[in-house]
Amino acid sequence: MKITKQIVEKHGLKIEEYANIKKLLKREPNLLELGIFSAMWNEHCSYKSSRKHLKNLPTTGKQVIQGPGENAGVIDIGGDDAIIFKIESHNHPSYIEPYQGAATGVGGILRDVFTMGARPIALLNSIHFGSPDHSKTKSLLNGVVSGIGGYGNCIGIPTVAGETKFNSTYNENILVNAMAVGHAKKDKIFYSKAKGLNKSVVYVGSKTGRDGIHGASMASAEFDENSEEKKPTVQVGDPFTEKLLMEACLELMKDNSIISIQDMGAAGLTSSSVEMASKGELGIELYLDKVPCREENMTPYEMMLSESQERMLIILEDGKEEHAKNIFKKWDLDFVVIGKTTNTNKLTLKYNNKIEGEIPIDSLASKAPMYDRKWIKKKLPKSKIDFKSLKKVKIKDALIKILSSANHSNKSWITSQYDQMVMCDTVQKSGADAALIRIHGQEKIIAVSVDSSANYCKAHPITGGKQIVCENWRNLVSVGAKPMAITNCLNFGNPEDPKIMGEFAECLIGIKESCEFLNYPVVSGNVSFYNGTNKKNISPTPVIGGIGLIQNLKKPMNHQFKKGNNNILVIGKTFGHLEQSVFFEEIYSILDGQPPEINLINEKNNGESVLEIIKNDLAESVHDVSSGGLLIALAEMSIGSNFGVKINKPKKLTNLFKYFFGEDQSRYILEINRENMKKVEEILKNNNIFYENIGLTQKDYFEVEKEMKINIKELYKINNQWYNNY
Amino acid sequence: MKLISVKQLRLSLKKNKLKFSVTVTLKKDVLDPQGKVVQNTLQNLGMDSLKSVRQGKYFELEVNDNNQTQAEKKVDDMCKKLLANLIIEDYKINKI
Amino acid sequence: MKLISVKQLRLSLKKNKLKFSVTVTLKKDVLDPQGKVVQNTLQNLGMDSLKSVRQGKYFELEVNDNNQTQAEKKVDDMCKKLLANLIIEDYKINKI
Amino acid sequence: MNSSVIVFPGSNCDRDIAVALEKMQFKNQMVWHKETKLPKSDLIVVPGGFSYGDYLRSGAIAGKSLIINEVIKAANEGCLVLGICNGFQILTETGLLKGALLRNKNLKFINKDINIKVINNDTKFSNKYKKDQILKINIAHNEGNYITNPNHLKELINENLIAFKYCDKDGKINESCNPNGSVENIAGIFNSKKNILGMMPHPERMVDNLISNTDGVNLFSSLLK
Ligand SMILES: Nc1ncnc2c1ncn2[C@@H]1O[C@H](COP(=O)(O)OP(=O)(O)O)[C@@H](O)[C@H]1O
Ligand SMILES: [Mg+2]
């Protein structure tokens, strides 16, 4: 079959890229080869637009065992233990079929983690929907949440944290990012690099079907005369099979049978085999007639490009085939030797003993395109808000409006659909600043949280990028954990638009700055471009997933008030930054001006001091101050506890709205027992930390002196009704 | 008096009830994990002659309408709007 | 040559395949919350004439057998043994 | 005391129950579903999870496994059998317990801590609890809506075969504290010989103060007596 310009375009390749392919091959590719190039050279696999910028991120540190480049990042948490984690997007499939899209997103990220030898111990998710009154939002929300739950619950890994946001920027393009965290022994980590010649390449897991063959769905009509039906591009998840696959892999990993292992994610068999060979600087030969197929008459093209879920590729040590096969048989899974490693540095595809395709590995990997796309800087926006011209509101009404809004309502409607306790190591569930997971059978605890702030990133990407890393860091600090490292999922619009590329480049500059300063390296991540429709791109939405460590937990720290008559300290200065705030957005529908700036020195000092206070068991509860500002944070500490607050009227800032709703960064609220005040103040003074004592906790009422008073049961109700009424 | 007339009204309405069944099945090439497990289990139970199982959803709908073609159009509409996700599923309507 | 004969073999095998559909529905006196929700949702979508919805499961089974009565008995057996829980569900078999 | 935990493909609370049993000094063994013999056991636990993915109906396919015949035999000989969550569903599918578990009335998976009341404390499973004691315990299920025929329901009530009922934190039993729609707020039942207990809540999740509470401990210590 002749490759026409049309076929090339249908494979998402540019004409120049196709010319490059011919140069690398020194001939024209056939359709199978073209399909393979298209899979490996697309944005998702090649990172062609992002690689240049990603290189700048800090990825090393004493705690890092494996940075980006493997299936997931690996960090050292002391002793023999390692934590393996990564986040990934499944945005487009989730928009088309929310249940299956979200479910397979969870399945995919879990495989990335257990491929490396980790038993997954926690799942997180960051989900962004369009405006609640958009006609699709409700069913997307329902579908995504039950899909995430459906997969995680079934496989038996607790979903313990996440974030859920609504914003019209996602009306036509929701975001579904899933993060998985696993635990492994340091000396039992598995990598994808192939080693040795003539080793068996083994296919395990589900059978291959015609799922998700993208370019294929159109081009295939020309070579497959009897298939008029449109092929499905959305995969159906099978968490049951994934559970079996996970157990079987972990069982096989107990001894030394595996040289290299790689899950079949995007571009399935193609990317997994190429990646193994490329890392090992070897060739790989596959006998496609051996591939277990679900449908009849599948072509090599379809087999190589299928994105069927729940499959893995393994390279085995000599003589281990029987042993491995028995394990997979025990779990009722397919196990077939489908190829071997070679010294040709080529991907060689045979079908019925005939070579159907042969491609130099480097042309698919290291020689894949990399672009230095044009990008433009964003100026710091100037606010045009004239505060005085705005309609007056009462503080209490503003508080109620925000607490009852879609974005700030309690998320238990969502989180109660997730099994948060299975595995019996969830020390702290959803609802806190970060969830806490115990390392099984030990005293060590890890803290996990995911965060994003698209409004800030949109307004000024550098500041926004900086801010999310800090916010994530703060969430871990608030539960008393030492922040260790992050993963990131970079959700952006069309990178061919210099404005969007600028958002990307600048967010990364910001992320880099914070990560470097806080010694909070990036060990894994994922880039998702082309979020949006032709003209309308989503707001830049990098999502940060962080891991923190508590070596020795005395008592779990959370944000709920514990007792009456305790002091309330605010760590960090309140200036009253209202531009880009929730207050302006929710009360006046204004999104304007610049995001709050971050002083990284203060960020670090404040955080470390809070950690010191928690470590010395001097705080009763801790909460970071984030979107919504001080008053919202205080309300969150009251809601669900039996105690409210009595806040003194602030002495310095005269504008109460600025004081209570300003979103100045690097702040925490601490509940401190009077007996501990002296010790706490000593720590704060020693560390040169700015703090204010703003009032006391009290039973039943949430009160601001001379301004407002409300029963906390009422606050609870206000905060817990949105989802149930939606 | 009024009560009786309501009852009569109801009764007369009943006559115009049309009943349809809808079956929603996964499209041909879409993975059917449930069907696969059911098939394996039945085969393990000794049903050797069983060749394949596909699982789907089934609905019975009652519609108040005098006009069958019109009612069927309505049911078709429901299928498209809610009962089936046409990205991965097909549906079939039957008058019962 | 060989290829053609395999095809023919397949074709001849196909002749002996019998296809059945099975619908499994909740017994009348068992509440069907799923059907209720579908009904409410559809009604909210403006389908006023919809009177009731019951939801169930649907299976398509292929059986290798020449004898239809015998095959149907087998399918009946499968329903009893696995596909339906007779405490709460009824089933119906159809040749398709 | 010897215990066996049956592991099906898709079981996922098997490790949790094993940890709890060992913590309570049971001598525990895991038994893979393809085995045809049970080790000598005083207690058999059918754990929670999603055996066979909950495909078809929760518990239906596990109910047809090889090992389940052995469980039935042992149960008929008087061995203690505990089915938790999916285990409860499996036991009803095998007929060891009567009734069935339907989808939760809100059609959603529910994971939360709820309260249950000890209805019958005069059994091997519950003698360490006080009668009417209120426990706080975790549930996590899609299909926990217990239903049975009127005759059996009468039998459950008359013969004191209801183990636990969902209640509020003060012990009141009404519709508003019924998480899944179960008839009579039933959270767990015994068979007529009271050697089999099926329950939706997870006692194995409540044996450690760091992650929850210890309200499940007495269920296991009752068995040890
Ligand atoms: N989709 C979700 N899945 C799990 N947990 C969620 C989800 N959305 C929100 N949460 C939880 O709700 C709580 C509040 O979320 P958020 O306001 O984003 O917290 P924070 O501002 O501390 O990051 C957190 O504990 C978070 O983990
Ligand atoms: Mg927080």
Side-chain angles (χ1 to χ4, degrees), chain A residues 119 142 150 152-157 237-241 243-244 247 329-332 413 415-429 438 440 445 553-556, chain D residues 7-17 19 32-34 49-55 107-113 138-142 202 204-208 210-213:
Chain A
R119 178 168 286 281
N142 269 310
N153 298 343
C154 181
I155 192 166
I157 296 161
D238 182 358
F240 170 58
T241 298
K243 165 81 174 162
L244 305 185
E247 296 299 343
K329 211 171 129 197
K330 168 184 166 191
W331 293 97
D332 299 320
W413 180 88
T415 56
S416 67
Q417 295 182 55
Y418 304 150
D419 193 341
Q420 303 193 55
M421 253 192 107
V422 61
M423 297 182 90
C424 286
D425 284 311
T426 307
V427 174
Q428 190 151 274
K429 305 177 191 176
R438 176 173 59 190
H440 192 64
I445 307 263
L553 185 85
K554 291 203 185 80
K555 64 170 193 231
Chain D
V7 184
F8 294 102
S11 294
N12 63 32
C13 303
D14 46 331
R15 187 185 79 178
D16 301 351
I17 184 75
V19 167
W32 183 236
H33 71 111
K34 284 181 186 165
F50 282 72
S51 59
Y52 296 92
D54 263 5
Y55 297 158
L107 300 177
K108 291 193 165 36
F109 185 94
I110 304 172
N111 175 218
K112 59 178 177 188
D113 288 345
N138 196 255
I139 54 167
H141 58 249
N142 243 324
H202 286 274
E204 81 280 16
R205 295 184 178 190
M206 320 311 279
V207 295
D208 181 347
L210 184 60
I211 65 159
S212 52
N213 62 30

Side-chain angles (χ1 to χ4, degrees), chain A residues 44 86-94 97-113 123-127 143-144 147-152 155 175-180 234-239 242 263 265-266 307 309-310 489 526:
Chain A
H44 197 81
K86 184 170 187 256
I87 190 166
E88 199 157 75
S89 67
H90 227 212
N91 304 339
H92 295 120
S94 301
E97 215 305 322
Y99 184 94
Q100 296 298 345
T104 50
V106 172
I109 195 63
L110 280 170
R111 280 193 297 286
D112 275 328
V113 163
L123 283 165
L124 296 87
N125 62 86
S126 166
I127 47 184
V144 165
I148 290 171
Y151 209 98
I155 192 166
L175 302 184
V176 175
N177 295 177
M179 172 170 163
V234 177
Q235 300 97 298
V236 168
D238 182 358
E242 176 114 325
D263 68 301
E307 295 195 343
Q309 302 286 296
E310 293 97 19
C489 194
N526 175 244

Side-chain angles (χ1 to χ4, degrees), chain A residues 450-468:
Chain A
V450 284
D451 296 277
S452 68
S453 40
N455 286 347
Y456 289 176
C457 288
K458 175 86 189 163
H460 193 245
I462 294 187
T463 313
K466 247 163 99 171
Q467 190 272 343
I468 36 166

